[in-house]
Amino acid sequence: MTHLVQAIALGLLIGGVYALMASGLTLIFGVMRIINIAQGAFLILVAMLTWWLWHETGIDPILLSVVTTPLMFGFGWVAYRLLLSRIRGSSASMSVLLTFGFALVIEGVLNITAGNKFKSATPSYFEESFRVGAISLPKAQVFGFLAAMAVLAALYFVLTRTWTGRAIRAATQNPSGAALVGVGATGTAALAFAIGSATTGVGGSILSVLYPFFPASHYDWISRLLGIVVLGGMGSLPGALVGAGILGLAETLTATYGSLNWSTLVFYIVIMVVLLIRPQGLFGAKLREDTV
Amino acid sequence: MLSLKGVVAGYGGGSVLQGVDLECAPQTITCIVGPNGAGKSTVLRVISGLLKPSSGEISMNGETIGDRSPDEILRKGITQVPQSHALFPAMSVRENVLMGGYLIRKNRALLRERLDMVLERVPIVATRAGDNAGNLSGGQRRMVEIARCLMLDPKLILLDEPSLGLDPRSLAGVAGLINELNQAGTTVLLVEQNVRLGLGLATHGVVMEGGKVRLTGTASAVKDDPEIASLYLGGASGSAPGGPSSAGPKTEAAGV
């Protein structure tokens, strides 16, 4: 029983971090129909930057997201204006090609500047845990989870309580309806891309503590994130949350009761089964119905 | 108030509108009727700026607007309610209506005032405020779509097929709302397949065919035109079917 509770607790902690990482991807897809394959590379870019800043200054890696988040917001804005706006109106497959190329460029630059070696930020609490009864919760995972939840709450607030958020949601649900009320397509898309990129500011900082990484790790991450988003329903934020929780739980439960080697595979089996029953993903239909 | 002169516009290579001349006087309801493919909806799209005319002039109160962007035209007080699917289905009715005031979002007092006005004029916005727009019936959606465009206190409302897919009761509600708005001083330009309903509601009628205006006049004159009756209203006795292009001068340019 303790094993089960421990596995569920860890699964939810890690699921929260996955949710944050996937939220940017699904937001960008929802508004622009852009599948940002470079989202994984953005995460690794931030992880690398965080690691370097931590290494040089000793400032806590998760706290460094205060620096990396605005940086990634600006990076996303510029990337959209210079690069992605050029394929506006093209099919989603074009966005896959462009952002895959973008990811390769980031990977190449990181290989040259940071080297092709595993890195991991190891703050003082790295090997410490909180004890709750018989359950042990690694501090790094708890802090990562709390930071992720804080960002998701902020994202929820922005999307539901501000005009920027309303405009983004309106453009997600009905682009032509949004144009009719004066929501500019380009400005909204650039903002959504910038916000989606900014989530990797926190996500990448957490990643640098929780997982060893090297430039090519982005392939592994983008496949996980795409898995979460497809499972939850492309473009749906609640879907990303649930999908991320399922991935976290599938990983820890399989690792506890089966083997670590099978933990990722189980998640993909879950995706296949869900897609057989609901091809649009768990929450996929809700945002897209009536908007065609 | 609104004037189109020789407007040519289309999608891709071809021109759907081939020199459209149209006038809407203030506080009138003008209804455009005509067969499918006549270019009725395209007229609304060029007025609202969603489609740029390749030639011709569009002006509102003497000011040229044909080259303006959709949001600039919105700011001039021209709003459009399209045929269908204009709402944001996963947002609440209240949020949908609020989004209508997106361009005045920085003026909170004005926004509040407009919202109160809309709540009073279109009660469904208050009674279903918290429901997702995607859960409304067709008639309710149309009411909310119209309510949303009122947030900018428009001088001219463009309505594309307001009767589409509505049952008679919803239809009566929508028609009543259009009448109320007109009586409050708003000019309305609508496109309608349901000729009897459209011309019944309107003060003026316009018949389009093949991308051109074939006939204009007061709504009752257009409705009573034997040729129109024969073509669109299921037949008036004694008139031989033929193109409305041969319509007599009786109704032409009758004060529109």
Side-chain angles (χ1 to χ4, degrees), chain A residues 148-232:
Chain A
M149 287 301 116
V151 176
L152 282 174
L155 191 62
Y156 179 80
F157 178 83
V158 167
L159 286 176
T160 56
R161 299 276 186 275
T162 68
W163 281 101
T164 304
R166 279 190 207 111
I168 288 175
R169 281 160 59 221
T172 308
Q173 294 170 33
N174 187 349
S176 58
L180 280 174
V181 295
V183 173
T186 311
T188 314
L191 251 180
F193 198 84
I195 294 173
S197 305
T199 60
T200 64
V202 187
S205 298
I206 300 171
L207 187 152
S208 74
V209 181
L210 295 184
Y211 301 91
F213 60 92
F214 72 113
S217 303
H218 72 95
Y219 296 110
D220 180 29
W221 279 98
I222 192 61
S223 44
R224 272 186 218 192
L225 300 189
L226 277 175
I228 291 168
V229 170
V230 168
L231 175 64

Side-chain angles (χ1 to χ4, degrees), chain A residues 60-85:
Chain A
D60 181 83
I62 295 176
L63 270 185
L64 278 169
S65 55
V66 177
V67 178
T68 53
T69 303
L71 270 181
M72 288 313 288
F73 183 91
F75 180 78
W77 180 276
V78 173
Y80 183 82
R81 289 282 176 175
L82 294 184
L83 212 61
L84 289 135
S85 59

Side-chain angles (χ1 to χ4, degrees), chain A residues 163 169 173-174 180-182 290, chain B residues 74 82 85 87-88 90 95 98:
Chain A
W163 281 101
R169 281 160 59 221
Q173 294 170 33
N174 187 349
L180 280 174
V181 295
D290 299 328
Chain B
L74 270 177
H85 301 308
L87 296 181
F88 311 115
E95 276 187 308
L98 264 183

Side-chain angles (χ1 to χ4, degrees), chain B residues 35-251:
Chain B
N36 282 335
K40 305 183 299 290
S41 297
T42 309
V43 168
L44 300 191
R45 288 179 65 84
V46 291
I47 298 170
S48 61
L50 293 173
L51 182 68
K52 291 278 164 257
S54 53
S55 66
E57 196 185 299
I58 305 170
S59 60
M60 173 86 170
N61 295 328
E63 191 183 348
T64 304
I65 56 165
D67 53 349
R68 301 297 175 86
S69 67
D71 61 311
E72 280 176 309
I73 290 171
L74 270 177
R75 285 178 208 275
K76 299 274 171 215
I78 302 177
T79 58
Q80 187 183 354
V81 180
Q83 262 180 31
S84 57
H85 301 308
L87 296 181
F88 311 115
M91 286 166 83
S92 71
V93 167
R94 189 174 185 279
E95 276 187 308
N96 265 280
V97 173
L98 264 183
M99 278 308 289
Y102 183 73
L103 291 180
I104 53 163
R105 63 191 181 278
K106 284 173 185 154
N107 188 343
R108 283 173 161 244
L110 182 64
L111 197 69
R112 183 75 246 173
E113 186 187 307
R114 293 272 172 84
L115 187 64
D116 288 344
M117 179 269 288
V118 171
L119 288 170
E120 194 184 323
R121 275 194 185 169
V122 193
I124 189 172
V125 177
T127 52
R128 303 291 299 267
D131 294 347
N132 274 0
N135 294 334
L136 300 180
S137 72
Q140 292 168 333
R141 278 184 211 196
R142 191 49 48 90
M143 296 291 249
V144 175
E145 283 165 1
I146 297 174
R148 187 176 73 181
C149 86
L150 296 182
M151 286 296 286
L152 292 180
D153 193 20
K155 297 183 184 74
L156 172 66
I157 297 181
L158 311 172
L159 291 164
D160 198 351
E161 305 253 4
S163 76
L164 198 75
L166 301 191
D167 61 62
R169 201 173 148 201
S170 307
L171 208 56
V174 170
L177 180 58
I178 294 171
N179 258 328
E180 270 173 41
L181 295 175
N182 180 245
Q183 275 155 23
T186 314
T187 309
V188 178
L189 175 60
L190 68 127
V191 160
E192 199 38 85
Q193 285 276 6
N194 184 338
V195 175
R196 206 180 293 271
L197 173 96
L199 292 177
L201 193 62
T203 55
H204 294 80
V206 173
V207 180
M208 279 188 74
E209 195 191 55
K212 286 185 176 166
V213 172
R214 292 295 183 196
L215 187 71
T216 61
T218 61
S220 55
V222 170
K223 199 163 52 176
D224 294 341
D225 187 285
E227 211 150 2
I228 299 305
S230 136
L231 280 172
Y232 302 118
L233 297 173
S237 57
S239 71
S245 54
S246 59
K250 187 180 92 181
T251 42

Side-chain angles (χ1 to χ4, degrees), chain A residues 33-166:
Chain A
R33 296 296 180 260
I34 285 175
I35 301 172
N36 184 22
I37 299 295
Q39 196 80 0
F42 288 8
L43 278 173
I44 300 301
L45 176 69
V46 173
M48 206 63 92
L49 183 66
T50 306
W51 178 87
W52 180 75
L53 288 171
W54 165 78
H55 196 256
E56 295 297 314
T57 64
I59 300 173
D60 181 83
I62 295 176
L63 270 185
L64 278 169
S65 55
V66 177
V67 178
T68 53
T69 303
L71 270 181
M72 288 313 288
F73 183 91
F75 180 78
W77 180 276
V78 173
Y80 183 82
R81 289 282 176 175
L82 294 184
L83 212 61
L84 289 135
S85 59
R86 291 168 190 273
I87 56 157
R88 216 175 62 194
S90 309
S91 63
S93 54
M94 184 59 90
S95 72
V96 170
L97 277 178
L98 177 65
T99 56
F100 183 57
F102 195 19
L104 290 180
V105 170
I106 294 173
E107 181 191 341
V109 169
L110 288 179
N111 265 327
I112 294 165
T113 53
N116 194 16
K117 277 183 284 189
F118 269 108
K119 290 188 170 55
S120 181
T122 49
S124 56
Y125 52 82
F126 183 66
E127 287 179 329
E128 295 169 11
S129 289
F130 292 112
R131 303 283 308 176
V132 183
I135 311 293
S136 159
L137 301 172
K139 282 187 178 176
Q141 294 207 352
V142 173
F143 295 152
F145 174 81
L146 292 175
M149 287 301 116
V151 176
L152 282 174
L155 191 62
Y156 179 80
F157 178 83
V158 167
L159 286 176
T160 56
R161 299 276 186 275
T162 68
W163 281 101
T164 304
R166 279 190 207 111

